[in-house]
Amino acid sequence: MTAPPARVILICSGKGGVGKTTLTANLGIALARLGETTVVLDADFGLRNLDLLLGLENRIVYNAQDVLEETCRLEQALVKHKQEPNLSLLPAGNARMLDWLTSDDMKKIVGMLAERANFVLIDCPAGIETGFRNAAAAAREAIVITTPEMAAVRDADRVIGLLNTQGVAPVQMVLNRVRPKMVANQEMLGVSDVTDILALPLLGLVLEDEQVITSTNRGEPLTLNGSLSPAGRAYMNVARRLRGEEVPLIDPSRERRGLRARLMGKIRRTTGLF
């Protein structure tokens, strides 16, 4: 029986700094934990960071450039995660690759990865320049991540248009760093505002969570140890939805009320004042 083709998913954004690489790292770990053989490809050759977020920066010997130049085998360049054996990283090459890398090179690399994995996640450089176009040429589907800010949403809309012209489908959205209090006070775009503007299916909703910063600095994605933080649960739910599971989206207002109740309960237990 022939194995189903690998899911090759571009993870992209228009604006930088909206959480694209963090999503790639956490989603890669989450899919691996769910039993899916997963490879994450760092396609941001100018500013590579995926290795740092996965805690693998000290284990890199070869990279995508070495594979393309045939100075090493693909197996030598792939870095297997220490704690999650179903996940491997193919690191980006150096910034000089930007001068000569073509869409055909990206297709070649991704084709090799797709032969050995159920999921290939491409961490795409931000923006809409050559790096984005090369990465998009090798993708079969895409996740656009944005935050509820006008600049980020406008840039995401531009990216969606380019994905459509390149025939990438389906394209889904993850809305990151949502702050329920600001949404309720109309100080931030609401979920429905963003979905109306971008007209994409909502794959995941990630609340603002300070633990994301801590986990990023440690090189330990929240999904690695089954974090119960709001963001950790959201990333895991995105992975489950990608696999076809029916997982309801969180209600941001209810999540905020639940967090307040947990905090008040902790205060009562630790102080005995209530």
Side-chain angles (χ1 to χ4, degrees):
M1 183 176 178
T2 304
R7 302 270 303 274
V8 180
I9 304 174
L10 183 74
I11 299 181
C12 57
S13 65
K15 187 175 181 293
V18 298
K20 172 179 51 61
T21 301
T22 301
L23 174 63
T24 305
N26 278 280
L27 187 53
I29 291 285
L31 288 167
R33 290 190 68 212
L34 292 170
E36 303 286 357
T37 305
T38 305
V39 178
V40 290
L41 167 62
D42 192 343
D44 192 346
F45 303 106
L47 300 168
R48 79 179 199 192
N49 283 312
L50 189 53
D51 56 332
L52 288 172
L53 269 65
L54 290 168
L56 299 176
E57 68 276 9
N58 294 325
R59 302 184 61 201
I60 295 174
V61 178
Y62 299 106
N63 56 48
Q65 180 175 347
D66 298 311
V67 175
L68 285 170
E69 293 177 344
E70 299 184 355
T71 56
C72 76
R73 301 188 310 277
L74 177 61
E75 293 79 5
Q76 293 175 293
L78 286 172
V79 183
K80 186 162 286 190
H81 198 276
K82 295 172 288 187
Q83 294 164 265
E84 190 44 73
N86 282 330
L87 179 69
S88 297
L89 162 72
L90 181 58
N94 61 54
R96 290 192 300 273
M97 286 185 73
L98 295 171
D99 297 329
W100 57 265
L101 189 79
T102 67
S103 58
D104 286 338
D105 292 325
M106 283 296 299
K107 290 177 182 177
K108 179 179 178 181
I109 282 286
V110 170
M112 296 168 68
L113 297 176
E115 292 177 357
R116 61 183 63 239
N118 303 120
F119 283 86
V120 177
L121 306 181
I122 306 173
D123 184 22
C124 176
I128 56 173
E129 306 305 325
T130 303
F132 163 79
R133 295 173 188 271
N134 287 341
R140 296 171 185 164
E141 52 188 290
I143 298 173
V144 176
I145 180 168
T146 187
T147 55
E149 307 164 59
M150 285 305 303
V153 172
R154 184 176 65 177
D155 290 353
D157 188 50
R158 177 67 172 140
V159 164
I160 293 163
L162 292 174
L163 291 172
N164 291 336
T165 63
Q166 295 199 213
V168 178
V171 179
Q172 303 180 82
M173 176 177 64
V174 169
L175 186 56
N176 194 27
R177 296 177 187 159
V178 176
R179 300 185 182 187
K181 183 177 180 180
M182 293 184 70
V183 172
N185 293 336
Q186 297 185 348
E187 298 169 338
M188 173 178 278
L189 291 173
V191 177
S192 60
D193 298 324
V194 179
T195 54
D196 287 347
I197 294 169
L198 299 181
L200 287 182
L202 187 58
L203 182 64
L205 183 64
V206 185
L207 301 185
E208 183 72 41
D209 187 344
E210 291 182 358
Q211 290 191 47
V212 172
I213 298 173
T214 303
S215 69
T216 297
N217 288 335
R218 290 177 176 171
E220 299 174 357
L222 288 172
T223 50
L224 183 61
N225 297 310
S227 170
L228 295 178
S229 74
R233 294 198 308 273
Y235 294 135
M236 186 60 71
N237 286 340
V238 170
R240 291 194 171 102
R241 293 187 194 103
L242 276 179
R243 297 174 77 239
E245 296 182 35
E246 294 288 336
V247 182
L249 288 163
I250 63 170
D251 178 343
S253 60
R254 181 177 299 176
E255 189 76 14
R256 180 167 171 258
R257 289 195 299 270
L259 177 60
R260 184 177 185 278
R262 290 194 294 273
L263 289 173
M264 292 302 293
K266 185 175 182 179
I267 291 171
R268 291 187 184 99
R269 290 192 300 271
T270 56
T271 66
L273 297 178
F274 296 95

